[in-house]
Amino acid sequence: MDFSNRSAQPQPGVAPSAAAPSNKKSHGSRDGSKWGRIGVVVAAACVFILLAAAIVVTASSNGDNEGKYVDTSKLQAVFLNTGQVYFGNIKTLNEKYFVLTNIYYLQTSGSGSSSSSSSSSSNVSLVKLGCELHEPYDQMVVNRDQVTFWENLQDGGQVAKAVKTFEQQNPQGQKCADQSSSAPTTSGNSTQNAGSSSTPSSTTPAKKP
């Protein structure tokens, strides 16, 4: 009997040597897919960062562009959505707030017997901020969303002339008298919600005693 061919028979349970390369190929494809997903995530993160930076730059540039319109040699009028208007110098302007200094506002006092009477006369005065009961500093920070619009004022306007006269009459600044015995009441003075059409022809600054 010839037993020489027994050694050439494949052993049961042993995988052919040709199957090994196929395992290496599947590992390589899985690694490639993994790195591809990582690349997509990184690219998406970069796009998000660039968009966020563009939004921040655009917002800040809008505030800077608006600030270029402020004429620092002139007075400005800042109109609030409450109807109140303040005159002064805009020192800071951005997308969050305004900073106003050298502040004035209009105040009216009626002489008629009835506040609802259309024939009653009223006196309008330009008041310098600072001598109110709470004695604020001559600086105001206004939230940007409270401002409807603002304007540069011409030197020949009635408000600008009145402010110049007041400054000439008070070269050392405003002097506030003791107001403890003459505190204003709610029925005494009324602050006007002034617009550009409500400035009287005889507007003069109110001189504090």
Side-chain angles (χ1 to χ4, degrees), residues 69 75-79 85 87-88 90 149-153 196:
Y69 293 101
L75 289 170
Q76 285 78 47
V78 178
F79 293 81
V85 57
F87 307 100
I90 295 177
F149 65 96
W150 63 273
E151 300 171 329
N152 291 306
L153 303 183
S196 58

Side-chain angles (χ1 to χ4, degrees), residues 75 126 153-165 199-201 203:
L75 289 170
L126 190 66
L153 303 183
Q154 298 184 46
D155 293 336
Q158 296 171 27
V159 171
K161 287 181 178 179
V163 170
K164 184 177 181 180
T165 300
T199 305
S201 58
T203 301

Side-chain angles (χ1 to χ4, degrees), residues 65-78:
N65 289 335
E66 186 178 0
K68 294 177 181 179
Y69 293 101
V70 177
D71 188 342
T72 56
S73 66
K74 310 293 182 183
L75 289 170
Q76 285 78 47
V78 178

